[in-house]
């Protein structure tokens, strides 16, 4: 029925007693205030003010409408405060922890797109070799390769299967061939290490009795990837990322009993925090889409 700015002019004139004082309070011209009062009276069909030489005085109808107009103003202020608080909560820092090998391969383009879509959110990416305790607040979100994540109060989803198996570079395959069995693997050099990658890597080597085949060991995942890409030897990697590395070739299928998955997790107390929810949903969509390709 009427413009909100007309209602603000009505309240300002009612409280100050003149269009000049109202205009100063609203930081508009006196003509604009007078025009808005006239527009509000026309829209409502009500005579809200008596125009006097000394100023504007509320009519009985105007007096009766004043409380309702003030209630609208107060409700609008509460809405603005709530929206501001929500906006502040939707922005800020979100800590994401994952293995370094995911942080340097699949995550950079995803985090680039997240930044473009939600510039109000700052991501702190943690690549500690030790799994962070989400219950203790060490991180907000975890991306983990695990058969079944352990930890109090964890909530999330399994994004994709992520078994571990053997890979080599295309250059290595051209020079030395691709081993397809345990008996063939034992004749090839393995590159080990990779920080947090090393524990599941060692478990794989022990099962196939290949620990003695490790000829070089890196302290970081970036070093491990550089080594295998260079054609130095074979390595064992999570399939979710290695199958998407154009320079790498899978040598043998993953073990059928390997039920490792890629998990996206947070703590139950954080799942409805707007900024955390935004990042969770974005990562889930991007990682799920990547897993289907």
């Amino acid at each position: 029925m009427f413009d909100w700015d007309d209602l603000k002019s009505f309240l300002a004139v009612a409280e100050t007693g003149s269009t000049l004082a109202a205009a100063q309070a609203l930081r508009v011209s006196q003509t604009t205030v007078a025009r808005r009062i006239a527009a509000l009276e026309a829209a409502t069909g009500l005579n809200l003010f008596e125009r006097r030489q000394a100023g504007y005085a509320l009519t009985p109808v105007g007096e009766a409408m004043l409380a309702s107009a003030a209630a609208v103003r107060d409700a609008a202020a509460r809405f603005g405060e709530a929206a501001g608080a929500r906006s502040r909560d939707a922005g800020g820092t979100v800590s994401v922890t994952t293995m370094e090998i995911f942080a340097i391969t699949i995550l950079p383009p995803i985090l680039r797109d997240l930044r473009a879509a939600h510039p109000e959110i700052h991501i702190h990416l943690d690549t500690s070799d030790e799994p962070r305790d989400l219950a203790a607040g060490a991180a907000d979100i975890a991306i983990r390769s695990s058969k079944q994540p352990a930890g109090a109060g964890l909530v999330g989803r399994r994004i994709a299967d992520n078994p571990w198996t053997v890979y080599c570079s295309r250059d290595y395959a051209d020079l030395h061939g691709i081993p397809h069995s345990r008996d063939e693997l034992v004749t090839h050099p393995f590159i080990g290490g990779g920080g947090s990658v090393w524990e599941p890597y060692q478990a794989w080597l022990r099962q196939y009795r290949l620990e003695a085949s490790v000829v070089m060991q890196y302290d970081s995942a970036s070093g491990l990837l550089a080594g295998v890409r260079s054609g130095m030897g074979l390595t064992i990697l999570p399939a979710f990322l290695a199958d998407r590395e154009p320079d790498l070739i899978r040598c043998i299928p993953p073990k059928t009993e390997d039920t490792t998955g890629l998990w996206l997790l947070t703590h139950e107390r954080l799942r409805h925090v707007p900024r955390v929810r935004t990042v969770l949903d974005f990562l889930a969509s991007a990682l799920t889409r990547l897993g289907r390709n």
Side-chain angles (χ1 to χ4, degrees), residues 57-285:
L58 286 167
T59 64
V61 171
E63 289 278 5
M65 298 300 295
L66 187 59
S68 296
V72 172
R73 177 185 59 193
D74 294 344
R78 288 194 298 273
F79 177 86
E81 290 169 0
R86 185 79 175 180
S87 177
R88 289 190 296 274
D89 206 20
T93 299
V94 175
S95 174
V96 179
T97 181
T98 191
M99 301 167 76
E100 184 192 13
I101 204 160
F102 291 125
I104 63 176
T105 55
I106 62 175
L107 279 184
I110 294 175
L111 295 180
R112 175 203 62 206
D113 294 344
L114 172 62
R115 172 64 183 168
H118 301 282
E120 74 281 4
I121 295 176
H122 175 78
I123 297 295
H124 173 73
L125 190 59
D126 178 279
T127 58
S128 171
D129 288 347
E130 295 297 322
R132 294 301 192 187
D133 186 352
L134 301 189
D140 300 320
I141 295 171
I143 302 171
R144 290 182 183 166
S145 178
S146 173
K147 291 185 178 181
Q148 184 61 52
L154 293 183
V155 293
R157 67 182 81 176
R158 181 186 173 111
I159 296 295
D161 293 336
N162 189 37
W164 294 62
T165 193
V166 182
Y167 292 84
C168 69
S169 72
R170 296 187 181 278
D171 288 343
Y172 183 92
D174 290 341
L175 291 173
H176 306 287
I178 303 172
H180 294 295
S181 68
R182 191 268 170 191
D183 290 340
E184 292 179 8
L185 288 174
V186 77
T187 66
H188 291 262
F190 276 75
I191 306 163
S196 55
V197 175
W198 187 231
E199 184 177 349
Y201 193 151
Q202 279 185 309
W204 205 103
L205 290 173
R206 282 194 295 268
Q207 182 170 352
Y208 278 81
R209 301 186 302 280
L210 291 168
E211 290 176 281
S213 297
V214 177
V215 299
M216 178 176 287
Q217 186 164 325
Y218 285 93
D219 288 334
S220 68
S222 55
L224 178 62
L225 282 175
V228 71
R229 286 168 176 164
S230 74
M232 188 183 300
L234 311 182
T235 194
I236 297 165
L237 293 169
F240 187 87
L241 78 87
D243 286 345
R244 290 161 181 82
E245 285 287 310
D247 294 335
L248 300 185
I249 296 173
R250 183 191 285 192
C251 298
I252 63 173
K255 302 186 296 290
T256 56
E257 66 272 21
D258 187 345
T259 59
T260 304
L262 187 69
W263 294 79
L264 182 62
L265 305 165
T266 189
H267 192 268
E268 58 186 2
R269 72 173 180 278
L270 298 175
R271 66 193 303 180
H272 297 303
V273 174
R275 63 182 181 278
V276 175
R277 183 78 260 163
T278 295
V279 175
L280 276 172
D281 290 344
F282 194 96
L283 290 176
S285 176

